[in-house]
Amino acid sequence: VMRRNPFGMDICCRKGSRSPLQELYNPTQVSLSNTAILHQIRRDQVTDTCRASSVSSRKRRVLTPNDLKHLVVDEDHEMIYCYVPKVACTNWKRVMMVLTGRGKYSDPMEIPANEAHVSSNLKTLNQYSIPEINHRLKNYMKFLFVREPFERLVSAYRNKFTQKYNTSFHKRYGTKIVRRQRKNATQEALRKGDDVKFEEFVAYLIDPHTQREEPFNEHWQTVYSLCHPCHIHYDLIGKYETLEEDSNYILQLAGVGSYLKFPTYAKSTRTTDEMTTEFFQNISSEHQTQLYEVYKLDFLMFNYSVPSYLKLE
């Protein structure tokens, strides 16, 4: 996978207009150039973290097509979006369906959530040949959205383990977590797996056995492992905390900002910092420290400070 300076002149022009990549690195509008500085700082943070971590690990691996299944391609606007579950990915997938649907959809919020997650509705980078992959990585604007790692983790736990309707998660992961982490579990708990405690979930995540057995589920996998920011040069790193501004900035760069806005909705069930603090109160400092190690690169890379509620050893 190639990394190169995006200022190169070989960025092709889309339908006679400027590509999002050109608009990002050489903005024609002043309003866009101020935001560009913020994103440059975020890019630099990722680069610095990658450099520091590769020095310590010395492991440089080549990406396989399987590594690219989270990268959604928009041919018409020359953009690639790496989706991260629990970071507004349903709404971003809806927006990508509007952008790539050639007029089939006009309002993202009219697309049912479950339809946004049907894989055939969006094209991902792993479906292309190697030369096509490299061409797109080089010439398309690549972006992702990140969130405070532990807030994202609590959000995933609440969604997957405390909602009664998520029986597939209870069966696949809940039963395994209960079997491994709960002493004297009842037969019903072992069969249903629908009452996993957050402490048990954390114990499961830091258990070396879990890491060896299979990759983390995408809902709690690190952004580092889902989107490979040390191998793929992302032009824009949006944040959940500034979701609206960052999203609309991307739509502006794509030249669709005048008629397409990122969906906003006030969700009362949203996982907040206060809520996350509460969830971590019952986690031992030893387990907190081990869990922080698992997500440490995400904290460093995307400039999230160590949460004040943590009691690290």
Side-chain angles (χ1 to χ4, degrees):
V1 170
M2 301 174 70
R3 282 192 62 162
R4 63 178 262 299
N5 182 346
F7 290 89
M9 288 317 290
D10 54 352
I11 296 167
C12 175
C13 346
R14 154 183 66 99
K15 304 177 200 67
S17 65
R18 289 159 60 84
S19 74
L21 209 51
Q22 288 170 314
E23 201 51 69
L24 172 67
Y25 290 105
N26 304 298
T28 47
Q29 299 173 42
V30 177
S31 61
L32 294 181
S33 58
N34 296 340
T35 315
I37 297 164
L38 166 72
H39 286 279
Q40 179 65 56
I41 292 166
R42 290 180 185 174
R43 279 195 298 277
D44 291 345
Q45 176 79 20
V46 171
T47 307
D48 294 347
T49 309
C50 290
R51 204 171 285 141
S53 73
S54 75
V55 168
S56 58
S57 76
R58 288 270 171 240
K59 276 191 299 196
R60 180 92 177 122
R61 68 186 193 82
V62 175
L63 294 182
T64 64
N66 192 44
D67 291 319
L68 306 174
K69 58 181 189 282
H70 273 248
L71 279 79
V72 176
V73 181
D74 172 2
E75 294 285 354
D76 295 350
H77 304 90
E78 301 188 351
M79 300 197 300
I80 295 173
Y81 159 58
C82 184
Y83 69 89
V84 177
K86 306 313 298 172
V87 193
C89 89
T90 306
N91 276 353
W92 255 111
K93 283 182 176 179
R94 284 169 163 147
V95 169
M96 292 300 273
M97 282 171 72
V98 172
L99 290 173
T100 58
R102 308 272 169 108
K104 192 173 164 191
Y105 313 94
S106 58
D107 178 2
M109 291 318 276
E110 280 177 6
I111 301 170
N114 58 342
E115 206 175 304
H117 297 295
V118 174
S119 55
S120 58
N121 282 333
L122 291 164
K123 193 156 187 192
T124 47
L125 197 57
N126 59 337
Q127 296 168 24
Y128 292 86
S129 69
I130 303 282
E132 287 174 328
I133 288 171
N134 276 325
H135 170 77
R136 280 157 185 75
L137 284 175
K138 187 172 160 185
N139 295 297
Y140 286 18
M141 184 176 83
K142 299 164 296 298
F143 67 95
L144 77 163
F145 275 79
V146 299
R147 183 178 185 177
E148 202 280 339
F150 285 169
E151 200 177 285
R152 178 177 163 241
L153 190 67
V154 168
S155 176
Y157 165 77
R158 290 177 65 216
N159 179 250
K160 299 303 170 198
F161 295 107
T162 68
Q163 304 293 338
K164 289 294 171 219
Y165 60 80
N166 265 322
T167 47
S168 62
F169 266 83
H170 303 156
K171 281 265 185 287
R172 171 137 195 231
Y173 295 100
T175 53
K176 193 186 291 181
I177 293 170
V178 169
R179 189 174 68 244
R180 237 187 253 168
Q181 306 300 339
R182 190 178 300 177
K183 291 186 176 77
N184 313 322
T186 64
Q187 283 307 308
E188 190 185 20
L190 289 165
R191 192 181 79 249
K192 283 188 172 172
D194 64 352
D195 65 344
V196 171
K197 297 182 181 70
F198 185 64
E199 298 89 297
E200 294 169 331
F201 178 52
V202 169
Y204 162 78
L205 293 175
I206 58 178
D207 183 347
H209 189 95
T210 306
Q211 300 266 16
R212 282 197 300 271
E213 189 176 58
E214 59 180 347
F216 275 4
N217 177 277
E218 59 176 19
H219 290 84
W220 48 86
Q221 180 60 280
T222 61
V223 177
Y224 172 76
S225 304
L226 287 176
C227 294
H228 316 284
C230 290
H231 297 76
I232 295 170
H233 174 82
Y234 285 93
D235 302 289
L236 280 164
I237 294 141
K239 293 201 160 190
Y240 192 71
E241 295 76 16
T242 49
L243 177 62
E244 240 176 286
E245 303 94 291
D246 293 342
S247 299
N248 288 323
Y249 174 58
I250 290 167
L251 296 175
Q252 256 182 301
L253 291 169
V256 298
S258 57
Y259 61 86
L260 183 58
K261 291 276 177 278
F262 192 75
T264 60
Y265 57 101
K267 264 193 114 178
S268 52
T269 56
R270 218 199 83 160
T271 301
T272 60
D273 183 47
E274 293 75 43
M275 216 179 270
T276 307
T277 306
E278 259 172 64
F279 273 91
F280 272 85
Q281 274 177 339
N282 298 329
I283 308 294
S284 70
S285 57
E286 184 192 353
H287 280 190
Q288 286 186 6
T289 306
Q290 289 171 288
L291 191 69
Y292 179 75
E293 281 304 315
V294 173
Y295 292 93
K296 187 178 180 177
L297 272 178
D298 280 6
F299 274 101
L300 296 174
M301 199 168 275
F302 307 117
N303 206 17
Y304 288 106
S305 50
V306 177
S308 56
Y309 55 77
L310 284 194
K311 310 177 285 284
L312 297 183
E313 291 191 332

